[in-house]
């Protein structure tokens, strides 16, 4: 039993002026409307390769304290609070965090455990806490339909029933999600299970198993966080924080180190690799471990995507985690306006003169059950373009599709707009069957809940819907962290094998700060959808959503 408080975040100093250089392409007025942001001109091209003085030890978020009751229930306490953080040495920046000034502690739990969360809101405005990637009942999901008012406490509980994986938690408050995450409300979740523990993988948190939450931020002359420089995809920062640390380095003491990469930025897409182009092993994606390690030299992560990688080190060497220009599948000018031409040094790894041996990386990991297309009872196609899904504008009073509880379905999703977008499904993990006419690459071969959609490319995905139903509460089954989002909602009842209807729901720009669109009387039992930076979310009782950044939402609702 552990009742000790989480230690306070360490302050970090600003790197030298040469650490980040920005070529400004000019700023246009940002009009936050659902029709789009054609005036978002981005921040020009950034290239910090070799210019960052890595002077600050990487802050490792503390493990969230917990207590275990006699019945085995593990309880965690999280408090959303305002504070200040010294990122730059002598300058206090207004920030928010969970039990500390910026970000939150890492929650660690085991498969099969029953967990109970006590979430207290000490902010001056309402918030929520959404457990991103977690399989759980709708009333525990923490979307916009479940605001925690100032001074209130929310107490969700559920049983962990999913494989070992890297997840995260963050707000999903209607109209303020971008702002609250930019201020610092986010944290990592690590799930373990017996299959993972049986493998010879690095597992000592903060030593050879390192959380790497990557965020971009922009500060004004007074050292305060601002989001006024934006691309089509959303706010673009000119400083990189890793676990809240500017210009970070990590001392490595083992010959293999496990990095849990999380793109926790609101908008930016990264293509992570190492500065000397060495290969690393991808061992896990959003939903858990792969069947076997996949050697690669880089991996593209859009907002909210996760990847677990193994990096081999030799005594005394130094290597930098670097993001090179990601392939967005758009024109050069659009890519440049949306951070697609940037090269960014992220984190320096410094190997000790002598390294402890972790052991041989296993040749196989955790076999996953492959969903079979022939088992699908339904195939659907979703064409995303501007504010339209399948050439229809959003209409909260209209029912568009029907899904059967427990059914396996194949969806073909295509972004026909020549702008960056990603796509996220809540409540279920999916497998990618095809990217265009080709089988998925290794980084899309495992369980996923978020993928980047290159314009003009069809993505065929397969998923099996669960049976958790709730007549009153929605899931945020979809949330696209990175451009505009589309979601979908079930608006009908679902019992056992009964069908659940899926209707279309209005989107709300995550960072707009404006009010959500009013719902018709027939839809008011559900909660409004919103976008998460470049992702959208939808929330209705027992929902499954697809999300397309900065756009229409399509969401599903389950009723028991």
């Amino acid at each position: 039993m552990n009742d000790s408080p989480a230690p306070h975040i360490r302050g970090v100093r600003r790197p030298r002026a040469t650490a980040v250089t920005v070529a400004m392409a000019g700023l246009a007025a940002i009009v936050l409307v659902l029709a789009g942001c054609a005036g978002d001109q981005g921040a020009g091209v950034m290239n910090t390769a070799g210019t960052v003085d890595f002077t600050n030890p990487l802050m490792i978020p503390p493990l969230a304290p917990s207590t275990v009751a006699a019945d085995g229930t593990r309880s965690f306490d999280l408090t959303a609070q305002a504070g200040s953080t010294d990122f730059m040495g002598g300058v206090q920046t207004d920030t928010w965090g969970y039990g500390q000034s910026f970000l939150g502690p890492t929650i660690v739990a085991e498969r099969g455990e029953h967990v109970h969360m006590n979430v207290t809101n000490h902010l001056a405005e309402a918030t929520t806490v959404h457990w991103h990637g977690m399989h759980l009942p709708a009333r525990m999901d923490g979307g916009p339909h479940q605001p925690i008012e100032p001074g209130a406490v929310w107490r969700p509980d559920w049983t962990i029933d999913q494989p070992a994986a890297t997840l995260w938690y963050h707000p999903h408050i209607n109209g303020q999600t971008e702002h609250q995450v930019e201020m610092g409300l986010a944290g990592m979740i690590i799930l373990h299970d017996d299959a993972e523990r049986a493998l010879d993988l690095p597992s000592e948190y903060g030593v050879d198993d390192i959380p790497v939450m990557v965020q971009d931020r922009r500060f004004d002359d007074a050292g305060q966080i601002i989001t006024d420089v934006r691309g089509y995809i959303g706010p673009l920062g000119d400083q990189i924080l890793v676990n809240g640390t500017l210009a970070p380095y990590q001392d490595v003491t083992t010959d293999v180190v496990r990095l849990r990469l999380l793109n926790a930025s609101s908008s930016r897409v990264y293509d992570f690799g190492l500065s000397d182009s060495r290969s690393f092993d991808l061992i896990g994606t959003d939903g858990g471990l792969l069947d076997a390690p996949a050697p690669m030299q880089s991996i593209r992560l859009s907002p909210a995507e996760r990847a677990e990688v193994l990096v081999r080190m030799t005594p005394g060497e130094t290597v930098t985690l670097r993001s090179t220009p990601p392939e967005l599948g758009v024109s050069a000018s659009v890519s440049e306006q949306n951070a697609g031409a940037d090269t960014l040094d992220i984190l320096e790894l410094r190997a000790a003169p002598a390294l402890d041996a972790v052991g041989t990386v296993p040749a196989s990991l955790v076999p996953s059950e492959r969903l079979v297309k022939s088992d699908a009872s339904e195939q659907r196609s979703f064409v995303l373009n501007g504010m339209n899904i399948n050439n229809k504008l959003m209409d909260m009073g209209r029912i568009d599709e029907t899904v059967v509880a427990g059914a396996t379905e194949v969806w073909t999703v295509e972004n026909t707009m020549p702008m960056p977008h990603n796509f996220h499904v809540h409540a279920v993990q999916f497998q990618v069957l095809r990217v265009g006419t080709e089988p998925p690459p290794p980084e899309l071969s495992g369980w996923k809940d978020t993928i980047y959609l290159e314009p003009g490319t069809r993505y065929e995905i397969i998923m099996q819907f669960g049976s958790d139903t709730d007549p009153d509460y929605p899931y945020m089954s979809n949330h696209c962290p990175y451009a505009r989002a589309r979601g979908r909602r079930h608006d009908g009842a679902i019992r056992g094998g009964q069908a659940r209807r899926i209707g279309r729901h209005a989107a709300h720009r995550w960072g707009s700060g404006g009010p959500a669109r009013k719902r018709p009387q027939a839809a008011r039992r559900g909660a409004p959808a919103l976008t998460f930076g470049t992702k959208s979310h939808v929330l209705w009782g027992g929902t499954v959503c697809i999300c397309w950044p900065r756009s229409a939402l399509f969401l599903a609702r389950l009723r028991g």
Side-chain angles (χ1 to χ4, degrees):
M1 183 177 294
N2 184 359
D3 297 296
S4 61
H8 193 276
I9 190 170
R10 290 204 299 265
V12 295
R13 299 187 300 277
R14 177 187 287 278
R16 294 180 186 173
T18 56
V20 178
T21 58
V22 184
M24 299 302 294
L27 303 181
I30 307 302
V31 182
L32 295 178
V33 294
L34 291 176
C37 295
D40 297 353
Q41 296 300 308
V45 177
M46 293 175 56
N47 186 343
T48 68
T51 69
V52 178
D53 292 328
F54 293 101
T55 56
N56 303 304
L58 178 67
M59 196 281 289
I60 302 297
L63 295 176
S66 64
T67 58
V68 180
D71 64 358
T73 297
R74 183 175 297 276
S75 296
F76 297 90
D77 295 326
L78 290 177
T79 300
Q81 63 188 54
S84 63
T85 303
D86 183 359
F87 293 112
M88 294 168 267
V91 177
Q92 291 295 318
T93 301
D94 294 335
T95 54
W96 295 355
Y98 293 107
Q100 52 192 40
S101 69
F102 189 72
L103 299 180
T106 297
I107 294 171
V108 178
E110 297 280 340
R111 186 172 192 172
E113 281 192 311
H114 192 79
V115 297
H116 179 95
M117 303 290 181
N118 299 300
V119 183
T120 303
N121 181 13
H122 282 176
L123 300 172
E125 62 184 62
T127 190
T128 72
V129 178
H130 170 60
W131 322 99
H132 186 110
M134 191 75 73
H135 300 175
L136 74 180
R139 65 178 58 234
M140 312 304 173
D141 189 60
H145 58 300
Q146 294 167 309
I148 310 168
E149 298 298 331
V153 181
W154 181 48
R155 297 182 174 88
D157 68 285
W158 67 92
T159 298
I160 305 293
D161 186 19
Q162 63 191 96
T166 300
L167 314 179
W168 67 307
Y169 61 97
H170 56 77
H172 269 303
I173 189 68
N174 189 17
Q176 292 295 322
T177 305
E178 178 188 288
H179 171 65
Q180 292 191 2
V181 174
E182 289 282 324
M183 289 296 291
L185 293 183
M188 187 173 282
I189 302 172
I190 296 175
L191 300 182
H192 295 296
D193 64 12
D194 291 343
E196 180 218 22
R197 291 195 181 281
L199 298 171
D200 191 14
L201 294 173
S203 59
E204 187 174 355
Y205 179 79
V207 177
D208 58 13
D209 186 350
I210 310 296
V212 182
M213 294 180 59
V214 182
Q215 300 173 305
D216 61 335
R217 291 292 185 271
R218 186 175 296 269
F219 301 92
D220 64 16
D221 291 341
Q224 303 307 307
I225 295 170
I226 55 175
T227 58
D228 57 345
V229 177
R230 310 174 77 90
Y232 172 82
I233 58 177
L236 297 173
D238 61 358
Q239 303 274 358
I240 295 297
L241 298 175
V242 182
N243 301 346
T245 313
L246 281 172
Y249 68 86
Q250 172 66 26
D251 289 326
V252 177
T253 59
T254 55
D255 60 351
V256 179
V257 62
R258 180 183 191 173
L259 304 181
R260 295 179 184 263
L261 302 174
L262 161 61
N263 182 352
S265 298
S266 298
S267 308
R268 184 181 290 275
V269 179
Y270 300 93
D271 194 358
F272 292 113
L274 296 163
S275 55
D276 59 2
S277 300
R278 74 179 65 181
S279 176
F280 56 81
D281 286 330
L282 176 69
I283 61 169
T285 53
D286 301 344
L289 296 176
L290 301 180
D291 293 352
M296 58 187 59
Q297 290 181 304
S298 67
I299 182 168
R300 180 183 64 193
L301 295 182
S302 65
E305 286 190 279
R306 289 90 66 201
E308 296 183 32
V309 303
L310 299 181
V311 179
R312 291 173 176 80
M313 303 290 291
T314 59
E317 73 168 338
T318 297
V319 69
T320 300
L321 179 67
R322 176 175 293 164
S323 175
T324 53
E327 177 54 63
L328 300 181
V330 298
S331 68
S333 60
V334 171
S335 180
E336 181 176 318
Q337 291 171 4
N338 292 281
D342 293 352
T343 300
L344 303 170
D345 278 358
I346 307 295
L347 168 69
E348 185 175 77
L349 301 176
R350 301 178 179 177
L355 299 175
D356 295 332
V358 169
T360 303
V361 175
S364 60
L365 297 170
V366 179
S368 60
E369 178 184 357
R370 304 304 300 179
L371 300 179
V372 180
K373 188 174 182 179
S374 60
D375 290 339
S377 58
E378 189 75 43
Q379 296 190 33
R380 305 179 193 272
S381 178
F382 300 102
V383 176
L384 315 175
N385 189 356
M387 290 297 295
N388 295 333
I389 300 177
N390 292 346
N391 293 318
K392 294 180 181 179
L393 289 172
M394 297 172 291
D395 183 348
M396 292 182 288
R398 183 181 70 236
I399 301 301
D400 296 293
E401 305 284 351
T402 299
V403 174
V404 176
T408 297
E409 293 202 356
V410 171
W411 292 359
T412 300
V413 185
E414 182 179 6
N415 166 25
T416 61
M417 190 174 186
M419 289 287 182
H421 291 286
N422 74 352
F423 175 90
H424 172 65
V425 182
H426 282 229
V428 296
Q429 294 280 341
F430 58 80
Q431 294 170 348
V432 180
L433 295 176
R434 291 205 164 271
V435 178
T437 59
E438 301 296 326
E443 62 269 25
L444 296 182
S445 65
W447 290 105
K448 295 285 293 176
D449 56 50
T450 306
I451 56 172
Y452 179 77
L453 297 181
E454 291 193 15
T457 299
R458 293 182 178 180
Y459 292 77
E460 189 178 62
I461 63 176
I462 187 170
M463 66 202 79
Q464 184 173 28
F465 291 88
S467 58
D468 272 330
T469 64
D470 195 303
D472 299 314
Y473 288 91
Y475 284 108
M476 297 192 63
S477 64
N478 209 20
H479 123 104
C480 304
Y482 143 66
R484 306 178 171 172
R486 299 214 168 190
R488 42 148 133 190
R489 83 178 176 101
H490 313 37
D491 196 26
I494 187 170
R495 295 177 185 275
Q498 291 182 358
R500 58 193 178 188
R501 294 178 296 167
I502 296 178
R504 197 154 283 167
H505 188 57
H508 183 67
R509 165 92 175 161
W510 188 36
S512 70
R517 294 176 57 182
K518 291 184 178 179
R519 291 160 284 155
Q521 183 67 36
R524 287 183 185 169
R525 291 188 61 139
L530 70 159
T531 45
F532 174 78
T534 56
K535 275 184 13 176
S536 290
H537 313 71
V538 268
L539 304 152
W540 285 70
T543 53
V544 175
C545 315
I546 60 175
C547 117
W548 187 37
R550 278 176 90 184
S551 253
L553 291 183
F554 188 110
L555 70 107
R557 182 184 186 189
L558 302 178
R559 283 185 186 163

